[in-house]
Amino acid sequence: MPSTLFQPFKTTISEIALPEKFTYPFHYQPHRLSVIACEELQEYLESQTDFIHNFGLDKWVQENAMGKMFGVVVVQNTAGELGYLCAFSGKLADQNHLPNFVPTVFDMLAEDGFFVKGIKELTVINSKVAVVENNPDYNRLKEKIQQETTLILERLALEKSKMSEAKKFRKVQRKNAQLESTDSASLEKLMNELVRESLKDKFLFRELNEYLETNLTEIKEKLNPFSNKINQLKEERKQKSAKLQQQLFSEYAFLNQYQDLKSLEALFNGNPPAGAGECAAPKLLHYAFQHNLKPISMAEFWWGQSPKSEIRTHKQYYPACTGKCEPILKHMLKDIVMDENPFGINLAEEKELEMVFEDEHLAVVNKPAGFLSVPGKQVTDSVYTRMKALFPNASGPLVVHRLDMATSGLLLIAKTSEIHKNLQSQFIKRKIQKRYVALLDGLLTEENGFINLPLRTDFDNRPNQMVCYEYGKPAQTKWKTIELRNNKTLVYFYPVTGRTHQLRVHAAHTLGLNLPIVGDAMYGNRSNRLYLHAESITFNHPISLKNITVKVKANFDW
C-alpha cells in the first residue's frame, strides 16, 4: 500500500527513462524526473493556503523574510508506480509537520515525547533559579558586598599610599643621617628605629586588611545559602541538559535500505553539529525506507529570499550540505549505486599545461579549467605533480599560488625554494598584480566599482565560503565592465586580497554584484565550465629585479 505522502506525478512521465543510478547528493545535475517533481512542488508553494510563511518573495514583506530549502525524492512503490516525496529543511511556519511534507525523523516538539518533558523540567529549574536571584535579601547582600568591597579597596589603597610616603620619608632620613651623623651609636639607634617603623606599618596594614576581610566574610556567609542554592540548581540543570542532549542524539536515528538504524550519536562520534538531521535529504530518505519506497533520484532547491551571509537563489538547485548531512547520508545510502562523485574524476587527464614564460629560475603556466593546482584527496594529477615531473631537480613547493580547480589561467612556478619565498613575499605584501576576466550571468548597470565583503568558511558546507562581518577575513575586489551581450556581462576583476572563492562570492552575493559567474556550480548555475580566467599577472623578477607582465586571453565562447 503506498504511503499517504507518496505523490503521483501530475505531468506525463511515461516516456522519460529512469536514471540508471541514484543521484550523488553532494554534486549533481538534477534528473528530468526530479526537475518535474520540483516544478510541481513549486506550483503548490505558489498557490497553497495550508500554512503562512514569509519567504520574502513579495516586495512588501522583505522584513523578517526567511527563504527555505526544499527537497524531493523520486520514489517507486512496490507496485512499480513512480511518485515523489517532498520535504523542507528545519522548520516551516514554526512547525515540524505540515500537509504534503514528510515529517521530521525525530519530532522534538511532540507533547508526550521525552524532549518536551525534559525542556519543561529545565524550565522549572530556571524558574527556581530566578526566584532565588530575585530574592530581595539576596540582592541586598550582593549590593552590600559590592559596596564593602569598593570601600575596602579604597581604604587599602589609601593606606598603601600613606605607607609609600612614609617609606620615602624614612629613606630621606637614612640618607641624611648617613651624611651628617658623626656618632655611630646614634646612627645605629636611628636606623633601628626606622626599621621598627617600617615593620610597624606593615603589621598595621596586615591587621587592617584582616579586619576588613573579616567584615566582608560575615556578609558573604549570610549570602552563602542563596549562592549555594543557585549553584546547586545550575549544576542540576547542567546535568539534566547534558543527559537530555545525549538521549536526543541517541534516539535521533536514521534508516537505510536494510532497515538498519544509526543514531546521531554514532554517526558523529557523540558530537553532531546543531541542526544535524533536520535537512530535507535525510528526512526524505528515512521516510522512503520506512514505507518501503525505492529512491530513484533526488534534488533540493531554494525557495525565497537569500540569507544575508550565504548565497541562495530562488528556485535554484543545491547539493546536500557536507557538514550536517555527509555522515548521515553515507549511512542511509549504503550500497545504493549512485552517480560518480565528480571530484573523484580526473578532469585534467587529457589536458596539457601551456608554458607561457620560463627561465632558469621560474615559470608561468596557463592552467586549463578543471585542473587542480595541487594534489587533492582523491585526484593527485595537478599542476604541482606535472611541474615536479618536468623539473625533477627543482626545490621547494614549486606552485607559488593557487587557482580553484574550475578556474583557468596563469600560475607562477618557482624552481627553487629561495625564488618561491621571494614570490610569496611579493604576494603577502600585495606587490603582485593580477587581473581576471569573468562572464557574469546577467547585465550590470554600473561601469566599475569596489566590493568589500569579509569571508569565512561555511563550516556546515565546506568548501563553500560565506560573508561574515563578525569572523570573516577582509576580502576586497575592484571590478570593471568590459562588454554587455546576450544578457551576459564580461568584466575584469582586480583582487586586492586573495581569499578562497573571493571572486565567485563577490560576484554572486546580493551585497556584491548579485550576478553569479556563468558556470559556477557552487554559487550559481552549471555550464560547460566556470567562466573565470586569470588572464594577466605582473611580478618583480627575484633575480633580474625587472617587472614582468604575462598575459593569456580567455577563450570564452559566449
Side-chain angles (χ1 to χ4, degrees):
M1 180 182 294
S3 160
T4 55
L5 294 177
F6 174 92
Q7 301 190 42
F9 283 93
K10 299 174 185 175
T11 309
T12 302
I13 58 169
S14 55
E15 295 185 4
I16 300 176
L18 295 183
E20 295 180 3
K21 301 176 182 179
F22 187 71
T23 312
Y24 179 71
F26 303 105
H27 197 286
Y28 63 88
Q29 186 72 33
H31 185 269
R32 181 60 187 150
L33 287 172
S34 294
V35 171
I36 293 172
C38 286
E39 289 172 346
E40 292 188 2
L41 172 55
Q42 289 167 8
E43 287 179 12
Y44 164 76
L45 291 174
E46 287 173 341
S47 60
Q48 65 82 28
T49 56
D50 295 323
F51 60 88
I52 298 174
H53 182 90
N54 180 9
F55 291 106
L57 296 175
D58 189 322
K59 64 180 180 180
W60 302 113
V61 288
Q62 295 295 305
E63 190 177 350
N64 299 320
M66 184 183 296
K68 183 65 62 176
M69 193 74 77
F70 288 86
V72 300
V73 165
V74 177
V75 291
Q76 191 174 45
N77 63 21
T78 52
E81 300 166 328
L82 284 179
Y84 59 89
L85 304 172
C86 302
F88 50 83
S89 291
K91 295 180 184 177
L92 184 60
D94 291 324
Q95 297 182 60
N96 279 335
H97 299 273
L98 286 170
N100 302 313
F101 295 101
V102 302
T104 184
V105 175
F106 177 82
D107 187 6
M108 292 185 291
L109 303 182
E111 280 299 322
D112 58 345
F114 74 85
F115 190 79
V116 169
K117 290 179 181 177
I119 293 296
K120 288 178 179 177
E121 290 176 4
L122 292 177
T123 303
V124 170
I125 295 175
N126 288 337
S127 299
K128 290 179 179 179
V129 171
V131 168
V132 180
E133 289 180 337
N134 291 325
N135 186 296
D137 292 335
Y138 172 71
N139 286 294
R140 179 180 54 78
L141 289 168
K142 274 180 65 179
E143 187 177 350
K144 182 68 174 175
I145 286 176
Q146 188 175 1
Q147 291 171 349
E148 286 295 321
T149 302
T150 302
L151 290 172
I152 288 171
L153 292 174
E154 290 175 352
R155 180 75 183 274
L156 292 177
L158 178 63
E159 292 303 318
K160 280 184 178 180
S161 177
K162 290 179 179 179
M163 287 173 65
S164 178
E165 290 299 320
K167 184 177 180 181
K168 290 177 184 177
F169 181 69
R170 286 192 295 270
K171 185 176 181 181
V172 172
Q173 283 182 297
R174 287 191 190 97
K175 187 175 181 181
N176 291 339
Q178 288 169 343
L179 291 174
E180 299 171 0
S181 179
T182 56
D183 183 354
S184 58
S186 297
L187 178 62
E188 184 180 358
K189 182 180 179 182
L190 175 63
M191 292 300 178
N192 290 335
E193 183 64 29
L194 292 175
V195 169
R196 282 193 294 273
E197 286 182 12
S198 176
L199 292 173
K200 181 182 177 183
D201 283 352
K202 290 178 181 178
F203 173 78
L204 291 175
F205 181 80
R206 191 164 56 250
E207 286 278 298
L208 175 65
N209 193 21
E210 289 175 359
Y211 171 75
L212 295 174
E213 282 295 329
T214 300
N215 288 346
L216 191 62
T217 300
E218 290 176 0
I219 303 173
K220 285 182 177 179
E221 286 176 353
K222 293 178 181 177
L223 187 71
N224 279 342
F226 297 101
S227 300
N228 291 341
K229 184 62 176 177
I230 290 172
N231 292 335
Q232 175 194 339
L233 288 168
K234 286 184 175 180
E235 181 60 29
E236 183 185 354
R237 181 179 64 188
K238 180 181 176 182
Q239 292 180 6
K240 280 185 177 291
S241 180
K243 185 179 178 181
L244 182 62
Q245 188 179 54
Q246 208 58 42
Q247 188 177 358
L248 174 64
F249 293 162
S250 227
E251 296 280 342
Y252 214 135
F254 304 85
L255 286 169
N256 59 19
Q257 64 174 333
Y258 302 117
Q259 299 299 299
D260 178 24
L261 275 171
K262 212 162 192 178
S263 69
L264 279 176
E265 182 182 29
L267 291 167
F268 288 92
N269 296 317
N271 191 30
E278 291 298 304
C279 295
K283 289 182 182 180
L284 290 163
L285 290 169
H286 184 81
Y287 190 89
F289 295 135
Q290 264 186 329
H291 295 84
N292 202 21
L293 298 168
K294 180 184 177 182
I296 302 297
S297 65
M298 65 164 283
E300 293 180 86
F301 63 90
W302 184 260
W303 186 265
Q305 186 173 295
S306 175
K308 292 180 180 178
S309 55
E310 301 170 82
I311 296 171
R312 294 286 183 262
T313 303
H314 181 54
K315 290 189 177 182
Q316 190 160 299
Y317 296 103
Y318 289 94
C321 65
T322 53
K324 297 178 184 179
C325 290
E326 194 166 24
I328 298 172
L329 296 185
K330 183 179 179 181
H331 158 69
M332 300 186 83
L333 295 172
K334 181 182 178 182
D335 293 339
I336 289 180
V337 180
M338 288 182 286
D339 293 331
E340 192 168 0
N341 176 5
F343 293 112
I345 303 171
N346 183 12
L347 301 176
E349 191 171 5
E350 303 298 326
K351 298 178 180 180
E352 297 294 330
L353 288 171
E354 177 190 1
M355 190 68 67
V356 184
F357 174 90
E358 183 188 2
D359 63 17
E360 60 182 308
H361 307 290
L362 55 86
V364 182
V365 297
N366 182 24
K367 183 185 84 69
F371 211 119
L372 287 168
S373 296
V374 296
K377 292 180 180 179
Q378 295 170 293
V379 176
T380 57
D381 190 13
S382 62
V383 173
Y384 171 80
T385 52
R386 299 280 184 99
M387 291 298 101
K388 190 67 177 174
L390 186 62
F391 307 124
N393 298 321
S395 63
L398 287 169
V399 178
V400 179
H401 58 114
R402 301 182 187 185
L403 293 175
D404 291 344
M405 182 178 75
T407 304
S408 62
L410 300 173
L411 277 176
L412 268 172
I413 307 298
K415 295 184 179 181
T416 67
S417 55
E418 291 78 13
I419 297 296
H420 185 276
K421 185 176 180 181
N422 181 289
L423 292 172
Q424 275 225 320
S425 176
Q426 291 185 49
F427 268 107
I428 292 169
K429 295 175 181 176
R430 298 182 182 176
K431 292 183 177 180
I432 290 182
Q433 298 174 5
K434 295 172 70 180
R435 185 177 78 191
Y436 290 73
V437 62
L439 188 64
L440 305 184
D441 194 4
L443 298 177
L444 275 178
T445 56
E446 299 176 67
E447 294 184 357
N448 56 70
F450 181 80
I451 303 167
N452 184 12
L453 294 175
L455 303 177
R456 73 162 174 85
T457 301
D458 183 349
F459 300 114
D460 288 333
N461 200 23
R462 297 174 187 267
N464 287 44
Q465 303 295 302
M466 62 193 300
V467 172
C468 179
Y469 287 95
E470 187 173 4
Y471 302 109
K473 294 181 179 179
Q476 296 99 25
T477 305
K478 297 177 183 177
W479 63 272
K480 180 181 179 182
T481 298
I482 307 169
E483 182 182 356
L484 284 76
R485 174 159 48 102
N486 299 330
N487 201 37
K488 302 284 190 295
T489 304
L490 198 66
V491 296
Y492 283 143
F493 281 131
Y494 304 91
V496 179
T497 54
R499 307 298 176 202
T500 301
H501 297 178
Q502 176 176 314
L503 302 182
R504 299 166 72 169
V505 176
H506 280 185
H509 199 275
T510 52
L511 298 177
L513 298 181
N514 200 25
L515 294 176
I517 298 171
V518 173
D520 191 344
M522 299 182 77
Y523 306 103
N525 291 306
R526 300 175 191 280
S527 184
N528 60 319
R529 64 155 293 179
L530 175 68
Y531 281 70
L532 177 64
H533 177 75
E535 73 165 14
S536 173
I537 188 167
T538 300
F539 59 95
N540 182 263
H541 196 289
I543 304 302
S544 70
L545 303 182
K546 293 180 179 178
N547 275 345
I548 294 176
T549 298
V550 181
K551 295 181 181 180
V552 172
K553 287 186 70 66
N555 185 22
F556 290 168
D557 180 16
W558 65 299

